[in-house]
Amino acid sequence: MLYSSRGDPEAPHLLLSLTILAIWKVGSGQVHYSVLEEAKHGTFVSRIAQDLGLELTELVPRLFQLDSKGRGDLLEVNLQNGILFVNSRIDREELCGRSAECSIHLEVIVDRPLQVFHVDVEVRDINDNPPLFPATQKNLFIAESRPIDSRFPLEGASDADTGENAQLTYRLSPNEYFSLDVPTSNQQVKPLGLVLQKPLDREETPELPLLLTATDGGKPELTGTVQLFVTVLDVNDNAPVFDRTLYTVKLPENVSIGTLVINPNASDLDEGLNGDIIYSFSSDVSPDIKSKFHMDPVSGAITVIGHMDFEESRAHKIPVEAVDKGFPPLAGHCTVLVEVVDVNDNAPQLTIKTLSVPVKENAQLGTVIALLSVTDLDADTNGQVTCSLTPHVPFKLVSTFKNYYSLVLDSALDRESVSAYELVVTARDGGSPSLWATTSVSVEVADVNDNAPAFAQPEYTVFVKENNPPGYHIFTVSARDADAQENALVSYSLVERRVGERELSSYVSVHAESGKVYALQPLDHEELELLQFQVSARDAGVPPLGSNVTLQVFVLDENDNAPALLESRRSGTGGGAVSELVLRSVGAGEVVGKVRAVDADSGYNAWLSYELQPEAVNTRIPFRVGLYTGEISTTRALEETDAPRQRLLVLVKDHGEPALTATATVLVSLVESGQAPKASSRGSVGATGPEVTLVDVNVYLIIAICAVSSLLVLTLLLYIVLRCSALPTEGECAPGKPTLVCSSAVGSWSYSQQRRQRCALARVHRRPTSWPSARAFLLVLDL
């Protein structure tokens, strides 16, 4: 491949003349390519998508990124065909200087899933830089007295290229006085120089022009020249000589201003002015050296006057000369090599390359959250960086490639416990003392539907008065869902079941959003004492989750039933009138009759009291009624003057608010003992006299009491056997919470364990024995 001295290709087509080498390095995790510097825009490098195993159709959807690590846009990828091509001018010397190796490190990052590929593109050198001398002209002053084989050092040329393109050869224009001494090893120890082959004669040849040419090893080769003007001086024949030709000094980069670097020493065998030496930097020293160092012209001490930076330059080569004051002056030369020693003055730098947030709380362990890169400009141990993460978090850092770390999920997440994490990544180098840098990573945890709505308690007991209006608000259920957004949006519904012959939804309804429970119709305590049902709460997640709560609605009694009179076997007139035959011989305090009434209500509302109507109360009536028993008894012995027929009005009243009443009429007929009828099924007085009648009545009463008692005992035994043999369901008949208790002056009753058992029977659609039925049973015992 041929190039002109300016680096332009001689071949007609640059693409055909460039040799592009692509190498896939198996097993290393990297892809290597190479390209010649100065390649034109659009020059093909490689089919990078194919080499990385990526489909062309995936490049755009997977957010294909090419990061050139601060190298600009030298290389680019065509997302349509996956070809890596040269995008702008690549100058190897600008990129890497005189480094033997030069490459552009690329990072290829694709998402979904996250993948990182590392690509090295080697930039191959072409011979586009000719050798350059420090100056185009150099003046040499050489005394005529210098002996044969005297050597005069010259500053060699430099070539910005590398390899063979920087291998220089020198040639000197033909002359009879000087030959060129080219070193073959370390140029720092023995630089390029002129060797005197023939004694000089100032009178014969006062000046001698020479041309020094440097040629590199490239193809085509490039050359550089410097014009040498040799001025022949007279007499002063001893030049200053340094004790060493190369001085090596090591300085830390944070050395203070004014620090002594070295004091090179030169000596001159002459005396007087010819032996006085003046030290200085060589005339062709770079401005950078002059800005960092100063040399005392008398003592030759070199001190630091500028900032030293290892990251900017790791070594400084200082050409020094010692010139005597003779006429003509003679000079000696040496080189001071200052090696800059790195100190830990650069903290690590952390960069977040990619960040995938939020993270679902059910994400699998090992999920990559972020990709971080870390760099440190220092060298060796000072540039070795380790990264750590905030402790006690469900994440960890995993080293992936060189100075790359992946932030991955290390343990399970729970958004309800922690909804977001503020992570702090710390990068610390190995210097002493070490330097560090931190960066914050915010990781938000996204919710998934993993919590069902929860009620505060599994069961609620609600008391509602009967005869409520339709649409009456009974209770409000509320369930809390620990999730967020729609996963926490709770709706309520009834768990449908049958209550007796009807559906539950005909009794109650629940508002889907508020959870308010409404009674759709008036409730009747006498029909339904307990309404037990469940309300379901479900969230809006996918799939939805739910839970149930049980409501026990006790229907409280209101005084909506007036006392009802029971017909007596001795009632003969109908319409609530009771006829009683009473012997005039009955003494004071004897029970002669009884008013029997029941109330369909419960508690105080069913507690009855009996009293005579006020207009019937006077001193001439020898009867009174028991306040709570309804028994009619005599207040005194009956007299002949008492009317044979007595009409009593008994007021039966419950204890409700307001109280409801009923009126019973009792017709009392006073008879003589001889006029009493015989004993009959009604229990009237017999023909044999009062004594026989009383005996017959007592016999009947005893037989009735024994029969009823036996029936009661048999019923209780049968009830106990049935209850013990039945399997309890839903906690029925189990000890429950005590509820409403009603009490009065004559006794108490409650919704206790027996009431619980009746409620349990109600669940299998059996109504409990009502209070009116129980009272009727007691009245049978009285009869």
Side-chain angles (χ1 to χ4, degrees):
M1 183 168 51
L2 300 177
Y3 287 86
S4 67
S5 60
R6 295 183 178 269
D8 296 329
E10 295 180 354
H13 301 287
L14 177 61
L15 185 61
L16 295 177
S17 62
L18 293 176
T19 304
I20 300 174
L21 176 63
I23 303 174
W24 180 279
K25 187 173 181 181
V26 180
S28 66
Q30 284 186 291
V31 178
H32 293 266
Y33 304 110
S34 68
V35 63
L36 293 178
E37 67 171 331
E38 302 296 342
K40 289 186 178 180
H41 171 75
T43 299
F44 173 87
V45 178
S46 71
R47 298 187 181 277
I48 189 169
Q50 178 180 342
D51 295 340
L52 296 179
L54 300 175
E55 296 293 336
L56 296 181
T57 56
E58 296 178 341
L59 300 185
V60 174
R62 294 187 64 184
L63 304 180
F64 184 97
Q65 301 180 49
L66 186 67
D67 187 358
S68 58
K69 298 287 288 181
R71 298 298 191 181
D73 57 347
L74 300 178
L75 298 172
E76 192 56 73
V77 174
N78 187 327
L79 298 182
Q80 302 300 319
N81 54 25
I83 292 177
L84 179 67
F85 63 92
V86 175
N87 189 45
S88 59
R89 176 178 174 270
I90 302 175
D91 189 345
R92 185 186 187 283
E93 290 71 33
E94 182 180 343
L95 286 176
C96 305
R98 298 182 59 82
S99 175
E101 297 180 359
C102 182
S103 61
I104 301 174
H105 180 69
L106 304 177
E107 294 171 1
V108 176
I109 303 174
V110 292
D111 207 341
R112 305 170 188 168
L114 178 64
Q115 290 181 285
V116 179
F117 304 92
H118 299 273
V119 178
D120 281 331
V121 180
E122 179 187 0
V123 180
R124 297 173 58 198
D125 185 52
I126 64 174
N127 193 24
D128 59 340
N129 291 281
L132 293 177
F133 287 92
T136 59
Q137 179 177 318
K138 184 176 179 61
N139 296 320
L140 299 175
F141 300 90
I142 301 176
E144 63 177 349
S145 60
R146 296 298 296 267
I148 299 299
D149 295 329
S150 293
R151 194 177 187 277
F152 307 95
L154 298 174
E155 188 71 13
S158 62
D159 195 320
D161 297 320
T162 59
E164 293 183 356
N165 295 331
Q167 297 292 327
L168 302 181
T169 58
Y170 297 89
R171 67 177 182 273
L172 189 63
S173 58
N175 68 93
E176 59 180 328
Y177 291 98
F178 295 97
S179 65
L180 191 62
D181 183 16
V182 180
T184 56
S185 56
N186 191 350
Q187 188 176 355
Q188 295 175 349
V189 177
K190 187 179 181 182
L192 183 70
L194 293 176
V195 178
L196 186 62
Q197 294 181 332
K198 177 181 178 181
L200 295 174
D201 186 357
R202 187 186 64 82
E203 290 72 20
E204 181 180 346
T205 309
E207 292 183 353
L208 182 62
L210 301 174
L211 182 64
L212 179 60
T213 302
T215 304
D216 62 24
K219 292 182 180 181
E221 62 185 17
L222 302 178
T223 62
T225 61
V226 59
Q227 190 72 42
L228 304 177
F229 289 93
V230 179
T231 301
V232 181
L233 303 178
D234 197 18
V235 189
N236 188 21
D237 55 355
N238 287 291
V241 178
F242 287 95
D243 52 7
R244 283 187 289 173
T245 58
L246 178 65
Y247 295 88
T248 302
V249 182
K250 291 186 178 181
L251 288 178
E253 61 176 325
N254 60 350
V255 64
S256 4
I257 302 299
T259 300
L260 175 65
V261 179
I262 197 172
N263 194 350
N265 182 45
S267 60
D268 195 315
L269 299 179
D270 294 325
E271 295 181 350
L273 293 177
N274 293 332
D276 291 341
I277 298 174
I278 298 176
Y279 297 93
S280 65
F281 296 142
S282 296
S283 59
D284 53 2
V285 71
S286 67
D288 181 62
I289 297 297
K290 291 181 180 180
S291 67
K292 289 181 170 55
F293 302 98
H294 170 72
M295 189 170 196
D296 187 276
V298 177
S299 65
I302 299 176
T303 55
V304 177
I305 61 171
H307 176 66
M308 310 284 288
D309 190 353
F310 173 83
E311 289 71 38
E312 178 184 336
S313 181
R314 300 190 178 190
H316 299 281
K317 186 171 67 172
I318 307 174
V320 176
E321 65 179 10
V323 180
D324 61 24
K325 296 180 180 180
F327 185 81
L330 300 180
H333 300 83
C334 74
T335 300
V336 177
L337 182 62
V338 179
E339 297 181 1
V340 182
V341 179
D342 180 50
V343 296
N344 195 25
D345 58 346
N346 290 281
Q349 297 178 354
L350 274 168
T351 304
I352 300 176
K353 306 298 291 185
T354 60
L355 181 62
S356 300
V357 291
V359 182
K360 288 189 176 182
E361 60 179 322
N362 63 346
Q364 294 183 354
L365 301 186
T367 300
V368 178
I369 310 301
L371 180 67
L372 300 94
S373 68
V374 58
T375 57
D376 194 311
L377 298 177
D378 294 320
D380 301 327
T381 305
N382 296 331
Q384 295 177 359
V385 181
T386 56
C387 289
S388 61
L389 189 63
T390 308
H392 311 300
V393 293
F395 304 95
K396 67 178 180 180
L397 288 174
V398 178
S399 178
T400 54
F401 180 81
K402 291 185 179 179
N403 292 332
Y404 282 85
Y405 289 86
S406 293
L407 178 65
V408 300
L409 184 62
D410 189 42
S411 59
L413 299 175
D414 185 9
R415 189 204 65 82
E416 289 70 40
S417 299
V418 181
S419 61
Y421 292 89
E422 288 296 331
L423 308 179
V424 178
V425 180
T426 302
R428 187 181 299 271
D429 61 28
S432 180
S434 62
L435 301 178
W436 69 89
T438 60
T439 187
S440 297
V441 181
S442 297
V443 179
E444 180 182 354
V445 182
D447 183 57
V448 296
N449 193 25
D450 57 349
N451 289 278
F455 292 93
Q457 58 190 67
E459 181 179 290
Y460 292 93
T461 300
V462 182
F463 298 94
V464 179
K465 290 185 178 181
E466 65 174 333
N467 302 320
N468 56 280
Y472 178 73
H473 176 219
I474 297 176
F475 190 68
T476 300
V477 295
S478 178
R480 180 182 176 275
D481 197 311
D483 294 319
Q485 299 175 351
E486 59 272 2
N487 294 332
L489 187 61
V490 180
S491 60
Y492 304 92
S493 62
L494 288 176
V495 178
E496 189 63 78
R497 72 176 186 88
R498 298 190 66 82
V499 180
E501 298 298 327
R502 300 167 60 183
E503 296 292 336
L504 173 65
S505 57
S506 65
Y507 285 96
V508 292
S509 68
V510 59
H511 193 274
E513 296 180 0
S514 66
K516 291 184 177 181
V517 181
Y518 299 95
L520 299 179
Q521 63 182 19
L523 299 177
D524 188 357
H525 171 80
E526 288 72 40
E527 177 187 346
L528 185 67
E529 294 184 7
L530 171 63
L531 180 60
Q532 179 172 304
F533 59 92
Q534 288 187 325
V535 176
S536 174
R538 297 177 71 84
D539 59 31
V542 178
L545 301 178
S547 62
N548 297 342
V549 65
T550 300
L551 265 67
Q552 294 191 84
V553 179
F554 284 92
V555 182
L556 301 181
D557 182 57
E558 285 191 333
N559 195 24
D560 58 348
N561 290 281
L565 297 172
L566 298 178
E567 291 186 4
S568 172
R569 289 181 297 174
R570 292 191 292 272
S571 176
T573 62
V578 179
S579 297
E580 298 289 350
L581 297 178
V582 180
L583 295 176
R584 286 185 177 273
S585 60
V586 173
E590 293 290 336
V591 176
V592 297
K594 187 172 185 178
V595 175
R596 298 170 176 83
V598 294
D599 196 312
D601 294 320
S602 300
Y604 274 103
N605 298 328
W607 178 25
L608 303 180
S609 62
Y610 304 83
E611 60 183 33
L612 291 176
Q613 287 280 27
E615 61 269 16
V617 177
N618 56 66
T619 56
R620 291 178 299 174
I621 297 178
F623 300 103
R624 64 181 177 85
V625 64
L627 179 60
Y628 299 115
T629 62
E631 294 178 340
I632 300 174
S633 59
T634 58
T635 58
R636 57 179 172 79
L638 298 179
E639 300 174 354
E640 292 295 333
T641 58
D642 292 326
R645 291 181 64 84
Q646 303 280 346
R647 185 173 181 272
L648 305 178
L649 294 179
V650 180
L651 180 66
V652 184
K653 180 173 63 174
D654 60 25
H655 284 69
E657 291 291 340
L660 300 179
T661 61
T663 303
T665 302
V666 181
L667 300 177
V668 179
S669 298
L670 303 181
V671 297
E672 297 295 338
S673 58
Q675 297 176 347
K678 294 183 180 180
S680 64
S681 60
R682 295 174 174 231
S684 300
V685 181
T688 58
E691 292 82 2
V692 176
T693 301
L694 292 175
V695 170
D696 291 342
V697 170
N698 289 336
V699 170
Y700 290 141
L701 287 175
I702 291 172
I703 293 173
I705 291 172
C706 291
V708 171
S709 299
S710 300
L711 181 60
L712 176 62
V713 171
L714 181 60
T715 302
L716 291 175
L717 290 176
L718 180 60
Y719 173 76
I720 292 172
V721 170
L722 290 176
R723 291 294 295 165
C724 293
S725 61
L727 292 175
T729 60
E730 300 181 0
E732 296 173 354
C733 301
K737 299 178 182 177
T739 56
L740 179 64
V741 176
C742 301
S743 60
S744 68
V746 295
S748 66
W749 56 89
S750 67
Y751 293 112
S752 61
Q753 301 300 330
Q754 294 179 358
R755 176 55 58 92
R756 273 239 183 237
Q757 294 169 357
R758 294 208 305 275
C759 293
L761 292 175
R763 295 170 191 163
V764 291
H765 313 308
R766 292 186 180 179
R767 284 194 61 199
T769 304
S770 64
W771 284 99
S773 301
R775 294 194 173 187
F777 181 69
L778 292 176
L779 290 176
V780 172
L781 293 179
D782 289 339
L783 292 175

